[in-house]
Amino acid sequence: MLKTALAGLLRDVAFRQSPQVLPVGYSEMAAPLIRRFCSMSVESLSSSKVDVEASYQGATDQLHDDSDNGSEPGHGANAVRKQVKNHGPKKKHGPFKRGRRGKKLPDRDGPSQEDRHHEMRLPGRDGPSQKAPHHEKKLPDMPFQKRFLFQTVLDTPMSLLMTVLDMWVKAGNCLERNEVLMVLFHLRKQRQYSKALKFMDWIERRRLLNFEERDYASHLDLIARNHGLEAAEKYMERVPEPFRNEVLYETLIVNCVCLDDVQKAEQVFNEIRELSLPLTVSACNQMILLYKRVARRKVADILLLMEMENIKYSRFTYRLLIDLKGQSNDILGMESVLNMMKDNGLEPDFATQTMVAKFYISGGLTEKAEEVIRAMEVYVNASRDATRSLLGLYAILGRPDDVERIWNSYTTPKLEDFLAAIEAWSKLGRIEQVEETFEALVKTSAKLTSKYFNAMLNVYAEHKLLAKGKEFLERMCLEGCPSSPHTWDAIVRLYVDSGELAKADSFLENVTEENPDRYPLFRSYTTLLIGYAKKGDIYNSEKIFHRLKQIRYPGRTPPYNLLLAAYTRAQVTPYGFRERMKADQVRLTKTGIEHLRHLDGLQWVEY
């Protein structure tokens, strides 16, 4: 449908928002879909099995790119059955269906195809491939002069974005830089990188803004996220010479680090030096961050280079080094870096102190951790950051009395303070206090974003409280809570942790189809993949793995280790596994290599 999600929301929930205020939530609403999952049993999702003889060994053929509208459904299982009945006669489906990307996906031993077609669709939609009626292709009337530009961009489908933006300009609006920054901020916050790139392309093609250094850097970053490093390098070649400086190269390095591409990152880093561009602490920090993950021995080379170039360490440099030492269980080395930081006139901030305290706790040095915590307690009334950190640290130490004491020290807690308290009580397993804190949060603010509802969903998922989670989901639907990929992730975790993998699978697939401009979080798929791997369900593990590769998350490599875990659990030889990994340039860990060698000695087993 061509009507925007916001228009559907205003119509369906009879809610009117003033155009002069910033919205507190996002446009897409998954309430109808979520409500259906609240009222359906897992049996209804998996009762109809489809047997296919085709194996999934051909998954290697597809190679690998970084928060709904609809009518209000009825409540309860009976209403769902009534809606299913009203869809008309059921259609027979073959063993394969067309995925959102046009690829054929097998459907075996997971949620049944018939159930998905009839029970998981949003009301009024027969499927993603159905064409909208002709009258729905008309652009909705938009009071452009009364709306913020970012609202218009967020609520417009990708296919109509440039047309709507041209109409926005023809309505007499003038594009200003602060509006561009606001649009990009919201799109990046919601991970809508494709739409953000299209917005920047529109600005460049229409020549509505004189690009500056940061504009070229932002455009370069979006190209790298959507189309890869090679496309980003080609874009750099057409950037005017005066703007082709160290900022653009550092932006490219950041994207190399996100992809863990050591070779390309080193190439770009060396280009900075060859072109005699200023070598900044920011570029060095990115290389340290990369080497900290994939080649720790090379960190010393960057530190030596910084010393030779007389580049002073920043706070972030020290934090990276403290984190590196702490993860290596080198407490003495961590303390040495901390002292060096103080000697150079940089006092550790609360984030650094929290990191140090956590490493002390994990290393069993409770007394040293308490010493750091006592130093932070001095700033309880002066700094909210320190207070929030203390809530989490006392929760890790298992001290509910101290958590309550710190929480009671607040006179006028803000939204983030409530969130920190919810997470602290959750770590202690105090669900009653979690719920009391959330209700106090609701009373404090009349309009909450999905972020705070997601925190409660995560609590119920963490403690496997499926009944409470379903009840809370129903509440979210009734209150018209806006949904985001983080909401979807919490729902997936809730069902996976409760053992309802088929339900999580169906929800994830359908919410993806209903939101073609947005993707679920990477961890939503890995959570489901872990669940299938623990059961030794090779077929569904391969299916989820295939979906991940289709989406191409920027900065993420296919999780072959999780896929191998499914084969290990089922004791089945994964033929062609090494070739698949080689094609994706992925290396296994030592443990993975041992498992693969063990499985190579097994005889072929049909699954």
Side-chain angles (χ1 to χ4, degrees):
M1 296 194 48
L2 301 182
K3 290 189 177 181
T4 64
L6 182 60
L9 172 61
L10 294 177
R11 181 186 65 253
D12 294 336
V13 299
F15 172 75
R16 295 292 184 270
Q17 179 172 323
S18 171
Q20 302 302 324
V21 297
L22 299 179
V24 296
Y26 304 126
S27 304
E28 281 77 14
M29 292 291 294
L33 186 58
I34 293 172
R35 180 171 292 153
R36 290 185 180 195
F37 276 88
C38 295
S39 58
M40 290 188 332
S41 63
V42 68
E43 288 79 6
S44 66
L45 301 174
S46 57
S47 59
S48 210
K49 306 288 184 180
V50 181
D51 292 330
V52 292
E53 296 180 358
S55 67
Y56 220 94
Q57 293 302 317
T60 56
D61 296 337
Q62 302 300 326
L63 298 179
H64 138 190
D65 150 22
D66 144 69
S67 277
D68 308 311
N69 61 334
S71 57
E72 195 78 358
H75 296 270
N78 293 331
V80 173
R81 294 192 194 100
K82 184 176 180 181
Q83 289 175 349
V84 171
K85 183 177 179 181
N86 291 336
H87 271 293
K90 294 185 178 180
K91 299 179 182 179
K92 293 183 179 180
H93 299 271
F96 288 84
K97 77 180 189 72
R98 288 283 177 183
R100 186 166 58 87
R101 299 289 175 189
K103 309 294 183 182
K104 282 189 175 181
L105 295 178
D107 210 325
R108 190 181 97 186
D109 295 334
S112 95
Q113 176 69 13
E114 250 182 38
D115 287 338
R116 275 201 305 268
H117 182 80
H118 292 286
E119 296 194 46
M120 302 305 158
R121 297 290 175 218
L122 291 180
R125 294 184 65 170
D126 295 331
S129 61
Q130 183 181 3
K131 294 183 179 179
H134 178 72
H135 68 275
E136 291 181 347
K137 292 185 179 180
K138 294 181 180 179
L139 290 172
D141 294 331
M142 294 186 181
F144 291 122
Q145 295 178 347
K146 295 183 179 180
R147 304 186 75 200
F148 290 100
L149 177 60
F150 78 86
Q151 286 180 297
T152 300
V153 175
L154 287 176
D155 299 333
T156 302
M158 279 277 289
S159 58
L160 297 174
L161 183 60
M162 287 198 174
T163 303
V164 171
L165 288 173
D166 287 340
M167 291 172 59
W168 183 84
V169 173
K170 289 179 181 179
N173 294 290
C174 182
L175 187 67
E176 297 180 1
R177 187 172 299 279
N178 62 341
E179 289 180 310
V180 174
L181 296 176
M182 179 69 76
V183 171
L184 293 177
F185 169 78
H186 281 277
L187 290 175
R188 287 178 179 274
K189 186 176 181 179
Q190 298 189 51
R191 300 174 183 267
Q192 295 192 38
Y193 300 120
S194 298
K195 184 177 280 190
L197 177 58
K198 198 162 188 176
F199 176 69
M200 289 296 291
D201 288 341
W202 172 74
I203 294 175
E204 186 179 44
R205 290 176 186 176
R206 303 296 189 268
R207 298 182 180 180
L208 298 173
L209 202 66
N210 292 324
F211 269 33
E212 298 178 355
E213 179 182 89
R214 59 181 175 181
D215 301 314
Y216 285 113
S218 178
H219 203 176
L220 175 71
D221 176 65
L222 291 170
I223 291 173
R225 286 177 179 271
N226 286 280
H227 302 302
L229 299 174
E230 186 177 348
E233 288 181 308
K234 290 181 180 179
Y235 173 76
M236 283 188 66
E237 294 175 359
R238 61 186 184 89
V239 171
E241 188 69 30
F243 296 102
R244 207 180 305 163
N245 53 21
E246 70 278 3
V247 176
L248 256 65
Y249 283 94
E250 288 175 15
T251 303
L252 195 57
I253 288 179
V254 169
N255 283 277
C256 294
V257 173
C258 288
L259 294 168
D260 286 341
D261 192 333
V262 179
Q263 184 177 357
K264 180 61 70 174
E266 290 175 341
Q267 178 186 329
V268 177
F269 188 77
N270 291 331
E271 279 186 43
I272 294 177
R273 302 182 64 192
E274 292 169 2
L275 295 172
S276 299
L277 294 173
L279 187 62
T280 65
V281 65
S282 176
C284 294
N285 285 343
Q286 287 299 316
M287 296 304 295
I288 294 174
L289 178 61
L290 175 63
Y291 289 146
K292 184 172 72 75
R293 291 202 298 252
V294 298
R296 294 188 175 186
R297 288 178 294 181
K298 291 188 176 183
V299 171
D301 297 335
I302 300 297
L303 297 179
L304 181 60
L305 177 63
M306 293 177 70
E307 184 178 351
M308 293 173 55
E309 298 288 339
N310 196 27
I311 300 174
K312 293 183 178 181
Y313 293 1
S314 65
R315 287 185 183 274
F316 186 55
T317 310
Y318 286 112
R319 284 188 63 185
L320 288 172
L321 297 178
I322 290 172
D323 189 35
L324 177 63
K325 295 294 184 181
Q327 289 182 9
S328 304
N329 295 320
D330 184 0
I331 301 300
L332 292 178
M334 180 185 73
E335 292 175 336
S336 176
V337 173
L338 193 62
N339 292 330
M340 187 191 308
M341 181 180 182
K342 294 177 180 178
D343 292 341
N344 284 280
L346 293 175
E347 284 297 321
D349 55 14
F350 299 120
T352 305
Q353 288 178 307
T354 302
M355 182 189 299
V356 170
K358 287 181 177 179
F359 282 130
Y360 279 141
I361 294 171
S362 62
L365 302 174
T366 307
E367 292 183 0
K368 287 192 173 184
E370 290 176 341
E371 183 179 345
V372 175
I373 292 173
R374 281 196 295 271
M376 294 174 66
E377 285 238 25
V378 177
Y379 301 96
V380 165
N381 296 323
S383 171
R384 292 184 181 273
D385 290 335
T387 311
R388 294 166 190 164
S389 297
L390 287 171
L391 287 171
L393 290 171
Y394 279 128
I396 295 173
L397 289 171
R399 297 182 178 178
D401 292 340
D402 286 317
V403 170
E404 187 174 5
R405 174 175 59 83
I406 297 297
W407 178 237
N408 290 335
S409 68
Y410 281 102
T411 53
T412 54
K414 296 186 178 295
L415 297 181
E416 294 302 314
D417 301 327
F418 282 103
L419 201 59
I422 287 172
E423 292 173 355
W425 288 122
S426 177
K427 289 177 183 177
L428 293 168
R430 302 293 186 90
I431 305 301
E432 185 177 346
Q433 281 86 345
V434 169
E435 293 172 338
E436 289 176 357
T437 306
F438 181 78
E439 295 304 328
L441 169 63
V442 172
K443 294 178 181 178
T444 302
S445 177
K447 297 178 182 178
L448 294 176
T449 65
S450 59
K451 174 181 179 179
Y452 304 97
F453 287 90
N454 296 344
M456 284 299 296
L457 280 178
N458 285 324
V459 170
Y460 292 135
E462 188 74 27
H463 296 277
K464 298 179 173 60
L465 299 173
L466 182 59
K468 282 182 174 289
K470 285 184 176 182
E471 183 180 341
F472 191 76
L473 283 172
E474 185 68 20
R475 174 180 175 179
M476 290 175 63
C477 295
L478 291 173
E479 295 184 6
C481 174
S483 131
S484 71
H486 290 276
T487 310
W488 310 339
D489 180 65
I491 294 171
V492 170
R493 284 188 58 201
L494 183 66
Y495 288 123
V496 170
D497 290 347
S498 301
E500 298 194 10
L501 298 181
K503 205 166 189 179
D505 194 340
S506 289
F507 174 80
L508 194 57
E509 182 174 2
N510 280 273
V511 80
T512 304
E513 291 177 351
E514 297 298 335
N515 295 272
D517 292 343
R518 308 182 70 188
Y519 296 128
L521 299 183
F522 182 83
R523 71 177 180 221
S524 298
Y525 284 107
T526 56
T527 298
L528 189 53
L529 184 54
I530 291 171
Y532 280 132
K534 287 180 179 179
K535 295 178 63 178
D537 188 339
I538 297 175
Y539 181 83
N540 282 307
S541 296
E542 286 279 13
K543 182 180 67 176
I544 298 301
F545 185 82
H546 182 69
R547 289 187 202 166
L548 266 175
K549 293 187 68 176
Q550 282 186 305
I551 295 178
R552 300 176 184 177
Y553 285 90
R556 300 287 188 171
T557 55
Y560 278 97
N561 59 322
L562 301 180
L563 182 61
L564 182 60
Y567 282 95
T568 304
R569 182 72 174 176
Q571 290 294 288
V572 173
T573 303
Y575 289 102
F577 204 83
R578 288 183 177 85
E579 289 73 16
R580 295 168 65 179
M581 293 180 60
K582 186 176 181 180
D584 286 339
Q585 299 180 344
V586 178
R587 295 182 179 180
L588 271 182
T589 61
K590 292 182 179 180
T591 305
I593 293 173
E594 292 176 1
H595 287 168
L596 198 54
R597 286 174 179 170
H598 169 71
L599 294 175
D600 284 342
L602 300 176
Q603 294 182 351
W604 172 253
V605 179
E606 292 288 345
Y607 63 89

